Structures are given as C-alpha cells and as structure tokens.
Amino acid sequence: MTQFSIITSIYKNDKPEFVRVALDSMLINQTVKPTEIVLVRDGQVTEELDRLLDEYEARYPKIFNIIRLKQNGGLGKALKLGVESAKYDIVARMDSDDICLPNRFELQLRYLEQHPDVDIIGGQMTEFIDTPDNIIGKRIVPCDNEDIYGFMKNRCALNHVTVMFRKESVLKVGNYQDWFWNEDYYLWVRMMKTKCQFANVPEVLVNVRSGADQYARRGGRKYYESEKGIKKLQLDNKMITKMEYRYFVAQRYIIQILLPNWLRGWVFRKLARKK
C-alpha cells in the first residue's frame, strides 16, 4: 500500500504510559504500519518522557522523525511543522494518548486509493475512561461529502484524531494554523472554501482517552470566542445563513458560558455522543 506519515505531538503534561500505548497502537498493532512518524516535542518535557522518546527513536530509527522544540508553541504550530516535515504525500493525524484500532490505516489507505478525488478521510471514534474497554460514548459523523458539508454548519464533521489527508491539499489552504482549541475545524473550513472532497468511513478508527476535565476545557469565554470566530468565517463565506449563525452563537453562549461543567458534560454526552 501507499507509503504514509503520521504526525503527532507531545508536551510536558503528557503521561509517558499513555504515550507508550498510543505509539504501540500506531507501530506494532496495525495491519498496515506507517512509513514515518513525525513526532513534535512541543517544548521542554519531563525526563521520563524524553527517555521514552529516546527509546523509540533508537528502536525505530528509520521510522521516527522527532522534532524537539525548546519552547511550547501550541498544537496548531506543532502540527503545522509536522505536516511540513512529513516526507510522504499521505499524512495521518494521531494524538499522543489515544489508541488506534488495528485496521485503521489499512481502511483509510484503501479508501484513498479507490477514491483519488477525496482530499481527506476520517472515521468514527469511541471514548473511554481509565481502561480502553470502559467505553463511555461514540461520536458518529456522516460519511458522504455532501452530508459532511451540511453537518459542518453546526458541528465539526471530522473526528480530528481519525483523519488521514493528502499533504498537498492541506498545504494549498495554508496548513494548520493557531486557533484556540479548534485548529482542526479552522483547517476544515478553509478546505471547504476550496471545495475539497471530504469523507468518513463508517468504522471506528480510534479509541479516545477521555475524562471529566474535558468538558471544563470546552467551556469559558475563550473557547466560546474561538468557535464564534469560526462560525463568522463560515458566515462571511456564505457557508451558513445569518439565522444559522445567530442560532449557533446563542446555543454556544448558553453551553460554554452559562452552564456549569457538570451540566455541560451532560449536554455533550446526550447531544453529541451515542452510547
């Protein structure tokens, strides 16, 4: 199958035991293994994390391309550098504490080979707490390009940690850029502006590590302004109507500003996840 790169990043708060599980799910437990892993160390990390990186770099010298940044610049900048540094035309995205299912890359590569017009392919994801078998929810997204464009009017239609894309398509729209907690959504909207073709496979590709604090991170004015800015970009480019924009802003103001964390978590689990 086609050679491909994976881009991922770590920073000081990542737990070495989680990073090890994530790396093994990409490297060892796959039916089709990556040709390259571009790992951006986003600033100084713990000695234990550095030792882990040294270990994998020594074990897989032909696969690992570790970029060690002296200062933390944020996820958007790290991923931008990762894409630019990737050697291959096909690039997969992965987080440093999640778990790829064994046939993830095989499914996505086969789809891209069979659909040369598709620029980016994602898939479904599950979420777990503590142990991988303790599944607490599933985020289902549409598979067809037209349905994805429609879904994007209200919510992000690609599970970021599941995507695989053509490097040229991402570079053409300016690559990843810094946008608080929504670097992915911002990139997808810019790809939509150029009529890129999107797709998702119906299978679950990644099991995502979750926790109670994730809903706290999705609240607050800064997160609200981030999503509001993306919707304004969609409005300005006639991807959504003024009514859709106003509805979204009002909805997100209630969820992200007014609701306490515990209630926000309930809303996300009920409306955006399936058991």
Side-chain angles (χ1 to χ4, degrees):
M1 281 189 163
T2 304
Q3 294 179 310
F4 71 101
S5 302
I6 299 174
I7 58 168
T8 188
S9 70
I10 66 166
Y11 78 122
K12 63 180 181 180
N13 290 346
D14 282 328
K15 295 184 178 181
E17 60 271 28
F18 295 168
V19 175
R20 182 181 294 278
V21 170
L23 291 177
D24 286 348
S25 80
M26 297 180 236
L27 275 165
I28 299 172
N29 306 319
Q30 283 295 317
T31 55
V32 174
K33 295 175 173 55
T35 324
E36 175 190 46
I37 295 178
V38 181
L39 192 154
V40 180
R41 191 198 69 175
D42 193 9
Q44 300 299 318
V45 299
T46 64
E47 289 185 9
E48 191 175 0
L49 269 173
D50 262 334
R51 285 196 299 270
L52 182 68
L53 297 187
D54 291 341
E55 174 193 334
Y56 276 82
E57 192 174 32
R59 286 170 59 189
Y60 306 98
K62 295 182 179 180
I63 295 178
F64 269 90
N65 174 13
I66 299 179
I67 302 170
R68 293 172 170 85
L69 302 180
K70 292 183 178 180
Q71 294 188 347
N72 178 271
L75 182 61
K77 294 177 181 177
L79 296 181
K80 180 177 185 292
L81 180 58
V83 172
E84 291 170 348
S85 303
K87 295 178 183 177
Y88 299 99
D89 296 331
I90 302 297
V91 178
R93 169 79 179 97
M94 180 62 180
D95 265 353
S96 60
D97 57 357
D98 299 331
I99 302 173
C100 283
L101 270 68
N103 63 343
R104 174 195 167 175
F105 302 130
E106 180 180 356
L107 287 172
Q108 292 182 291
L109 287 170
R110 181 180 296 120
Y111 192 97
L112 289 177
E113 288 173 356
Q114 294 173 352
H115 301 84
D117 59 322
V118 169
D119 298 281
I120 182 166
I121 174 76
Q124 316 309 314
M125 73 178 212
T126 50
E127 293 178 318
F128 71 95
I129 291 180
D130 297 330
T131 60
D133 58 342
N134 183 27
I135 304 293
I136 61 165
K138 180 179 181 181
R139 187 168 191 266
I140 299 175
V141 286
C143 296
D144 179 74
N145 181 67
E146 185 177 347
D147 293 337
I148 289 171
Y149 270 64
F151 196 93
M152 284 279 196
K153 290 183 176 184
N154 188 46
R155 286 187 286 153
C156 186
L158 293 174
N159 291 317
H160 187 201
V161 297
T162 72
V163 300
M164 177 181 280
F165 51 78
R166 303 188 193 276
K167 179 178 176 178
E168 180 183 10
S169 301
V170 167
L171 291 179
K172 185 170 63 176
V173 300
N175 204 347
Y176 281 97
Q177 296 177 20
D178 188 38
W179 194 285
F180 181 74
W181 273 101
N182 281 288
E183 297 88 356
D184 56 331
Y185 207 166
Y186 183 41
L187 175 57
W188 314 151
V189 170
R190 286 181 282 123
M191 292 178 75
M192 290 172 67
K193 286 173 61 179
T194 63
K195 306 300 182 185
C196 283
Q197 292 290 305
F198 294 75
N200 285 308
V201 296
E203 293 88 355
V204 173
L205 300 181
V206 179
N207 197 10
V208 175
R209 195 176 299 275
S210 185
D213 65 329
Q214 69 167 317
Y215 302 114
R217 295 198 303 266
R218 293 178 186 173
R221 182 162 293 277
K222 194 172 180 180
Y223 194 96
Y224 164 74
E225 293 293 344
S226 172
E227 291 207 329
K228 181 181 175 183
I230 289 175
K231 289 300 152 185
K232 183 62 166 59
L233 178 64
Q234 288 181 291
L235 176 64
D236 292 343
N237 286 277
K238 297 181 170 54
M239 297 177 184
I240 58 174
T241 65
K242 287 184 179 179
M243 185 63 69
E244 288 169 333
Y245 172 77
R246 290 167 182 161
Y247 174 80
F248 178 89
V249 169
Q251 177 197 68
R252 292 298 162 141
Y253 184 84
I254 293 171
I255 293 173
Q256 293 167 344
I257 301 294
L258 300 183
L259 294 187
N261 289 340
W262 69 269
L263 187 52
R264 183 183 306 115
W266 182 87
V267 169
F268 272 113
R269 286 190 295 270
K270 285 293 183 181
L271 299 184
R273 301 293 186 270
K274 183 178 180 180
K275 277 287 190 179

